[in-house]
Amino acid sequence: MQQLDEDQSRRICERVLGFSKADECSVAIAGSRQGNIRFARSGVSTAGLNEDRRLSVTVAFGKRQGTATVNEFDDKSLAQAVRRAEDIARLAPENPEYVPLPGRQDFKASAEYVAATAAIDPDYRAEAASHAILAGRQNKLITAGFFTDVTGYEAIANSKGVFGHRAYTNLGFTCTARTEDGRGSGWVTRSAVDAQRFDAREAAAVAIEKALRSVDAKAIEPGRYTVILEPAATSEIVGRMFGAFGARQADEGRSFLAKKGGGNRLGEQLFDPQVNVWADPWDKDVPVSPWDAQSMLARRRTDIIRNGKVAALDYSRYWAQKNGAAPTARHGNMIMAGGTKSLEELVAETKKGVIVTRTWYIRMVDPQSLLLTGLTRDGTFYVENGKIKYPIKNFRFNESPVTMLNNVDALGKPVVIGGDEVPFQMVIPPMRIRDFNFTSLSDAV
Amino acid sequence: MERRTFIKIGAGTAGAMLVPVFGNAIAAEELLNPMATSAKKALADTAMDAARKAGASYCDVRIGRYLNQYITTRDLNVQGVTNTESSGVGVRVIAAGAYGFAATNAMTPDAVANAARQAVAIAKANARLQTEPVVLAPVKGVGEVAWATPFKRDWRSVPVKDKAEMLIAANKAGLDAGASFMTANLFQINQQKYFASTDGSYIDQDIHRLWAPINATAVDKASGKFRSRAGLAPPVGMGYEWFDVKPEHKVRAAGGVATLYRGGYDIVEEARNAGRQARAKLSAKSVDPGKYDLVLAPENLFLTIHESVGHPTELDRVLGYEANYAGTSFCTLDKWESKTFKFGSLIVNFSGEKTTPGSLGAVGYDDEGVPTKRWDIVRDGVLVNYQATRDQAHIIGEKESHGCSYADSWSNVQFQRMPNVSLAAGKAPLTPDEMVKDVKKGIYILGRGSYSIDQQRYNFQFGGQLYFEIKDGKIGQMLEDVAYQSNTQDFWNACTAICDERDWRMSGSFFDGKGQPSQVSAVSHGSSTTRFNGINVINTGRKIA
């Protein structure tokens, strides 16, 4: 795949903008090469490579919009795409919520591209898988897992002066180890921009150790427990909450941030004072695009929760204009402050509690209270007097992240977690939470 | 597992195009011109020839053109119309006893030959870590054949303006009936799939699906409370005639608490009812937790079937291929081998099939070129079979595949996916109203709500859209904050009554996710209204600070 550099992207964008006769025009270019290898039953099951590029052009005549997309970048194709977008725009109904494009933005680059990750090849992927497969076999465990890497570029531009180009890399690895008799299961997840910060051996060892320790789980009664949630266990729970920080939903009375009697809860103390969460496109551990491609606005470092208070809501350009507020770019990452203690140190100072490795199948039960349900999986352990006493059966929980973040007992050292069903790259600490609500037992291993 | 990522399907697919189209624009007209079958055959032959020369013992080629259109409206505004188009070729081979797969969006002889050679190289590389060779169940080549979703009206030929006006009319009806906010969306899918294999098949298929989900939200600003009621109508495997509703398409729910749809859909009427019932939910009684007899309408039970029966009987999960993601299964091979595993009560019968007209899973051939069929999975309460593909059939002693192979794109490799899995209707005459008469303390549940199940499919918790108290044989007041929790085997063994064929209908899951990289699939699940005795109901009402 040809990775377009900034000059090449700029030239293509300028050609497209030059072809347009509409009142406004915007362009987005994206290309990527994604490789993957999947393994199961201690052998490789599938492997693949997917290369793609596309260019999207959107034009507007007044409040009428049209968009067209091509994957050929020669002049003829670009001109045809612009014409097609203009044809569509002329047929479109007016969108009463259309807001004119933003003007020039200051995009300060994020360190998203690492050559070592871009150099990943099929041999590297096979080796990553083989570490887990072979270590599993040595321990009489059955392994399954997935390694994927992406190298890509993106550019945006518009007729009001916006231009941005970025190159990025990323990788993700997950591995499950299960005992041959199906009585024990362990899991691990790793995510990194830089392949040099990824160690498949280290990761596989975590899954293997959990699998071996989780055999012969005991059943303990469901109820409210102090829990030590590993970062992966928490990420999907809190990640869902950050998708509900829209000002419009709150102002319209249909979110947990709606205020009784009208308005929103910006500035209110909704969480424990230890809770601090922010978004930062330039974070060294989870750098993300310095712009939000949808709004074409520059991202900024933004406090979302400061000392437990709601510090910011998301304003779309339309809702901001209607309410006299500043529009915000949608965030690309979520970073939660923690402490300096390791997971082991959190365990060592716990009198009685439950360690949760991973949570699974989390779904919204009630958007009014953000009540979520889901289950623990792949390594749940009982702690007593600072030591892991024994593995326990998995639980179903019914809990709200709002309640959970009001019951923070201690926070550990944050780590990087790639989102699965939530769109954010995250840095999340292990957490000790009081009164976490387990409602039933699960026999699943 | 159900995922809600329609846009991601296009955006994450090589060559995907995101083209919002308003009105009957040029792009929409172009959608009606498929690639000539002869050209597809020539490309497929090129790929198979290259694969053989590179050392493949088997090769299949899938040439796909995937067209999606998504219209989204909110209140009286059209928020967007998105067309996605993706075309390309996927080549799967077996070489050295292992699978290899490669795909390209370049539809040229050189590109597909190169993809075939890449697939062979990947297979040979994977063979080094392979513990046993791939064994395919035999399939007789069917030559050059075609199959198409039987539809009367092509969604691609309906002006976007007409569709948008229908959705806006639905929103207006919901707002007039009491909703504070309404959304109505329309998902439309056309998959033009050409399959060829070294077994001698050249299969051209044209598949159409539709889904028009609506949602009504009512807000009481004084109390800060809000409640939603989503549509109850299913997604379907049919054409735009789905919206040409006739009186015979309307089904009266027990006690007349809702109008349900089979074969045709009145979206405006449904939106009106949703608006009214969203408002009514604001003052509904919060449920007392405890044991209840549940009367579940097919519009609720389909998702319970999907999660607790469909997924655990997928053979790849049973064998461990999904262990790292979607999970494994409690329906282990030893349980099937025993021929005595009591999955459910004696009246519980499940079958798998991809043949029912109008269903989401209906195709003529699966993505391995296997003609589709129907088979039993649970018979008289006993687990008797799984869902299998060609490479799994020998494991369960079958001589042929069940036809359960599917890929959501030309760029993704095909693997085992759920067919339509349905609960057979009861044999004795019984209507939903008659069923309710036998219930002393129960809850009638309609519609899909929150749903979650563990990775081996034991422990689940499901909600719904509408809950009505049943007291001494009569349907009473509306309830809220209801979710039912159970263990799959306990639940299906608590099944005590199933309404007869007159009440049988299908709902479905449009975006069922599985695999890594994740793929989506659409399947329908049929049932009649069904009763489960003594099921645990929890109260999900909470207050936050």
Side-chain angles (χ1 to χ4, degrees), chain A residues 415-432:
Chain A
V415 301
V416 174
I417 294 288
D420 177 16
E421 292 192 335
V422 296
F424 308 114
Q425 288 289 306
M426 282 181 273
V427 178
I428 296 272
M431 304 179 197
R432 192 169 60 227

Side-chain angles (χ1 to χ4, degrees), chain B residues 21 34 53 138 165 224 272 325 351 437:
Chain B
V21 180
K53 283 179 181 158
E165 282 176 359
R272 189 177 302 115
Y325 184 57
S351 61
K437 279 181 189 166

Side-chain angles (χ1 to χ4, degrees), chain A residues 352-371:
Chain A
K352 285 184 180 177
V354 172
I355 301 177
V356 178
T357 296
R358 179 184 186 187
T359 50
W360 166 250
Y361 217 138
I362 302 168
R363 287 292 178 269
M364 186 73 73
V365 177
D366 179 14
Q368 178 95 53
S369 61
L370 283 190
L371 181 71

Side-chain angles (χ1 to χ4, degrees), chain B residues 8-44:
Chain B
K8 198 176 161 188
I9 301 165
T13 302
M17 300 176 74
L18 299 171
V19 189
V21 180
F22 297 87
N24 200 10
I26 297 166
E29 289 165 358
E30 288 175 356
L31 301 182
L32 296 170
N33 301 319
M35 186 176 175
T37 309
S38 57
K40 290 191 258 192
K41 182 173 187 296
L43 268 187

Side-chain angles (χ1 to χ4, degrees), chain A residues 237-395:
Chain A
I237 298 175
V238 298
R240 278 177 166 74
M241 180 177 76
F242 294 123
F245 266 62
R248 184 173 190 176
Q249 293 102 305
D251 291 344
E252 290 178 340
R254 51 191 177 95
S255 102
F256 82 106
L257 290 170
K259 200 171 190 171
K260 193 173 169 181
N264 63 54
R265 304 185 73 173
L266 182 65
E268 289 191 21
Q269 184 88 39
L270 274 191
F271 309 98
D272 185 282
Q274 292 181 74
V275 177
N276 284 281
V277 181
W278 63 93
D280 182 357
W282 307 291
D283 184 272
K284 65 179 173 42
D285 294 319
V286 283
V288 294
S289 170
W291 63 77
D292 161 28
Q294 189 177 331
S295 66
M296 290 197 158
L297 296 173
R299 286 178 171 150
R300 306 184 193 289
R301 188 197 181 285
T302 307
D303 284 337
I304 313 286
I305 300 171
R306 193 184 307 125
N307 300 328
K309 291 181 180 171
V310 178
L313 297 178
D314 301 329
Y315 278 87
S316 66
R317 291 194 295 123
Y318 168 71
W319 201 246
Q321 180 178 272
K322 188 169 175 165
N323 290 278
T328 52
R330 293 173 309 163
H331 309 301
N333 58 16
M334 286 291 160
I335 300 145
M336 182 170 173
T340 55
K341 288 176 182 166
S342 66
L343 182 76
E344 292 71 24
E345 288 170 313
L346 287 183
V347 170
E349 60 185 31
T350 302
K351 196 171 177 190
K352 285 184 180 177
V354 172
I355 301 177
V356 178
T357 296
R358 179 184 186 187
T359 50
W360 166 250
Y361 217 138
I362 302 168
R363 287 292 178 269
M364 186 73 73
V365 177
D366 179 14
Q368 178 95 53
S369 61
L370 283 190
L371 181 71
L372 302 172
T373 192
L375 298 119
T376 66
R377 176 176 172 182
D378 299 323
T380 308
F381 303 95
Y382 187 68
V383 173
E384 207 170 85
N385 297 322
K387 294 210 166 102
I388 294 175
K389 294 290 281 187
Y390 45 79
I392 55 175
K393 283 195 169 188
N394 288 308
F395 288 112

Side-chain angles (χ1 to χ4, degrees), chain B residues 197-439:
Chain B
S197 80
T198 49
D199 291 322
S201 291
Y202 296 89
I203 301 166
D204 203 16
Q205 300 197 88
D206 186 37
I207 297 151
H208 293 248
R209 301 187 191 114
L210 286 176
W211 188 28
I214 63 164
N215 195 64
T217 300
V219 175
D220 177 9
K221 283 211 170 179
S223 66
K225 190 172 177 179
F226 66 96
R227 286 290 180 268
S228 292
R229 197 282 228 181
L232 306 176
V236 293
M238 57 193 290
Y240 204 76
E241 69 275 10
W242 171 236
F243 298 105
D244 298 333
V245 66
K246 295 183 173 60
E248 61 267 30
H249 295 141
K250 297 185 181 183
V251 178
R252 178 185 173 275
V257 298
T259 301
L260 308 166
Y261 301 93
R262 177 174 52 192
Y265 181 36
D266 187 338
I267 190 172
V268 174
E269 175 188 58
E270 166 81 325
R272 189 177 302 115
N273 289 335
R276 177 176 55 81
Q277 289 180 320
R279 180 64 51 187
K281 277 180 157 189
L282 289 170
S283 54
K285 180 195 167 193
S286 191
V287 71
D288 295 324
K291 302 273 187 191
Y292 289 84
D293 291 352
L294 300 184
V295 174
L296 303 183
E299 289 76 8
N300 176 264
L301 188 57
F302 87 92
L303 202 44
T304 308
I305 294 171
H306 177 85
E307 301 289 13
S308 70
V309 185
H311 279 309
T313 55
E314 293 168 327
L315 188 51
D316 64 338
R317 293 180 62 119
V318 172
L319 298 173
Y321 284 101
E322 285 286 330
N324 185 54
Y325 184 57
T328 57
S329 171
F330 75 94
C331 293
T332 48
L333 289 176
D334 58 312
K335 291 181 176 127
W336 162 72
E337 283 163 348
S338 76
K339 301 187 190 310
T340 59
F341 179 65
K342 284 290 291 173
F343 192 104
S345 65
L346 278 173
I347 60 171
V348 171
N349 289 280
F350 285 106
S351 61
E353 53 81 17
K354 288 170 76 74
T355 56
T356 300
S359 68
L360 296 169
V363 289
Y365 303 84
D366 79 346
D367 285 350
E368 291 187 314
V370 177
T372 52
K373 62 177 184 178
R374 180 193 175 284
W375 70 101
D376 288 345
I377 294 173
V378 172
R379 192 184 305 131
D380 301 330
V382 175
L383 175 71
V384 295
N385 213 332
Y386 297 102
Q387 312 153 36
T389 51
R390 288 186 70 185
D391 56 4
Q392 300 168 333
H394 69 280
I395 296 167
I396 50 172
E398 298 267 319
K399 290 193 169 58
E400 61 182 27
S401 164
H402 294 141
C404 290
S405 180
Y406 179 80
D408 69 358
S409 158
W410 55 268
S411 64
N412 281 326
V413 70
Q414 64 269 57
F415 69 121
Q416 196 263 299
R417 296 308 303 263
M418 196 188 300
N420 302 319
V421 173
S422 298
L423 175 68
K427 287 169 186 162
L430 184 69
T431 67
D433 281 317
E434 289 164 350
M435 177 180 278
V436 166
K437 279 181 189 166
D438 289 339
V439 176

Side-chain angles (χ1 to χ4, degrees), chain A residues 63-364:
Chain A
K63 293 189 170 188
R64 299 174 188 274
Q65 265 185 293
T67 301
T69 304
V70 288
N71 57 3
E72 298 298 331
F73 293 177
D74 59 277
D75 270 7
K76 187 182 168 193
S77 299
L78 298 178
Q80 197 172 27
V82 172
R83 274 201 306 277
R84 184 194 269 186
E86 290 180 349
D87 286 346
I88 294 166
R90 287 188 186 98
L91 288 167
E94 284 198 349
N95 177 2
E97 296 188 1
Y98 181 78
V99 178
L101 291 171
R104 189 180 297 276
Q105 302 282 303
D106 180 18
F107 298 136
K108 181 184 154 195
S110 304
E112 299 180 82
Y113 182 89
V114 177
T117 313
I120 288 174
D121 60 14
D123 288 341
Y124 181 102
R125 295 181 200 112
E127 194 180 331
S130 71
H131 284 316
I133 292 169
L134 297 177
R137 285 179 188 167
Q138 282 164 10
N139 286 279
K140 295 189 175 174
L141 296 171
I142 301 166
T143 50
F146 185 62
F147 175 90
T148 182
D149 58 278
V150 58
T151 301
Y153 60 91
E154 184 188 15
I156 60 169
N158 76 22
S159 52
K160 295 274 189 75
V162 165
F163 177 77
H165 173 93
R166 59 184 276 253
Y168 62 93
T169 57
N170 215 319
L171 68 83
F173 178 74
T174 50
C175 176
T176 300
R178 293 177 64 80
T179 57
E180 289 172 350
D181 60 8
R183 291 188 303 144
S185 181
W187 176 79
V188 69
T189 181
R190 294 287 183 265
S191 175
V193 170
D194 182 355
Q196 294 172 89
R197 294 175 71 175
F198 168 66
D199 182 347
R201 273 197 188 85
E202 174 275 334
V206 172
I208 286 167
E209 197 241 342
K210 281 184 183 286
L212 295 172
R213 287 185 87 150
S214 66
V215 176
D216 288 333
K218 294 182 184 178
I220 66 172
E221 284 296 312
R224 292 190 178 272
Y225 285 87
T226 291
V227 291
I228 300 153
L229 297 170
E230 294 197 19
T234 322
S235 60
E236 300 284 320
I237 298 175
V238 298
R240 278 177 166 74
M241 180 177 76
F242 294 123
F245 266 62
R248 184 173 190 176
Q249 293 102 305
D251 291 344
E252 290 178 340
R254 51 191 177 95
S255 102
F256 82 106
L257 290 170
K259 200 171 190 171
K260 193 173 169 181
N264 63 54
R265 304 185 73 173
L266 182 65
E268 289 191 21
Q269 184 88 39
L270 274 191
F271 309 98
D272 185 282
Q274 292 181 74
V275 177
N276 284 281
V277 181
W278 63 93
D280 182 357
W282 307 291
D283 184 272
K284 65 179 173 42
D285 294 319
V286 283
V288 294
S289 170
W291 63 77
D292 161 28
Q294 189 177 331
S295 66
M296 290 197 158
L297 296 173
R299 286 178 171 150
R300 306 184 193 289
R301 188 197 181 285
T302 307
D303 284 337
I304 313 286
I305 300 171
R306 193 184 307 125
N307 300 328
K309 291 181 180 171
V310 178
L313 297 178
D314 301 329
Y315 278 87
S316 66
R317 291 194 295 123
Y318 168 71
W319 201 246
Q321 180 178 272
K322 188 169 175 165
N323 290 278
T328 52
R330 293 173 309 163
H331 309 301
N333 58 16
M334 286 291 160
I335 300 145
M336 182 170 173
T340 55
K341 288 176 182 166
S342 66
L343 182 76
E344 292 71 24
E345 288 170 313
L346 287 183
V347 170
E349 60 185 31
T350 302
K351 196 171 177 190
K352 285 184 180 177
V354 172
I355 301 177
V356 178
T357 296
R358 179 184 186 187
T359 50
W360 166 250
Y361 217 138
I362 302 168
R363 287 292 178 269
M364 186 73 73

